[in-house]
């Protein structure tokens, strides 16, 4: 089913709020780890705790555009959105994001 852009934005906000356990408007540390863990489960990839920690740090490093050590909604949106639809690992919207996503390998 195709999800409208408006409801997709609402879904993204709900997902972000779910992982933003301290409510500060950013994902960092354990919050990113939990998000990455759930994303790997969604695509049926079983990673060790060590691999998940490495991937979480890499996701933060690659997606953290202002290098403050945490992910804002805007920074995280490139990982989630393509053509107004939400997906676990969508193609980013901009060419600079494509280059960043290529660096997510362990």
């Amino acid at each position: 089913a195709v999800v409208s852009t408006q409801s997709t934005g609402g879904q993204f906000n709900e997902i972000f709020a779910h992982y933003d356990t301290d409510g500060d408007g950013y994902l960092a540390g354990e919050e990113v780890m939990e998000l990455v863990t759930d994303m790997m489960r969604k695509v049926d990839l079983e990673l060790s705790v060590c691999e998940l920690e490495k991937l979480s740090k890499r996701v933060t490093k690659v997606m953290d555009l202002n290098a403050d050590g945490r992910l804002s909604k805007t920074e995280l949106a490139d990982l989630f959105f393509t053509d107004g639809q939400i997906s676990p690992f969508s193609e980013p919207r901009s060419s600079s994001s494509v280059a960043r996503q290529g660096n997510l390998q362990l």
Side-chain angles (χ1 to χ4, degrees):
V2 176
V3 180
S4 74
T5 302
Q6 184 176 16
S7 64
T8 301
Q11 288 174 329
F12 177 74
N13 288 333
E14 287 178 26
I15 291 167
F16 191 90
H18 172 79
Y19 291 101
D20 181 18
T21 56
D22 62 8
D24 68 353
Y26 298 92
L27 300 185
E30 289 297 319
E31 294 167 329
V32 176
M33 176 80 163
E34 188 65 30
L35 172 68
V36 169
T37 300
D38 287 350
M39 290 177 76
M40 293 299 99
R41 284 185 190 134
K42 185 168 179 72
V43 294
D44 293 325
L45 289 176
E46 293 294 327
L47 300 178
S48 70
V49 171
C50 183
E51 290 170 323
L52 286 167
E53 287 173 352
K54 285 180 185 178
L55 184 56
S56 296
K57 287 177 184 176
R58 190 69 184 146
V59 166
T60 300
K61 184 177 180 180
V62 170
M63 301 307 296
D64 182 17
L65 300 178
N66 65 359
D68 65 355
R70 56 192 185 167
L71 301 178
S72 68
K73 281 185 188 179
T74 303
E75 291 168 332
L76 194 62
D78 276 346
L79 188 63
F80 275 84
F81 286 103
T82 181
D83 299 325
Q85 296 183 30
I86 197 165
S87 66
F89 285 105
S90 65
E91 288 294 319
R93 291 176 287 173
S94 68
S95 59
S96 62
S97 294
V98 171
R100 286 196 321 266
Q101 189 178 29
N103 291 326
L104 286 178
Q105 299 169 352
L106 289 174

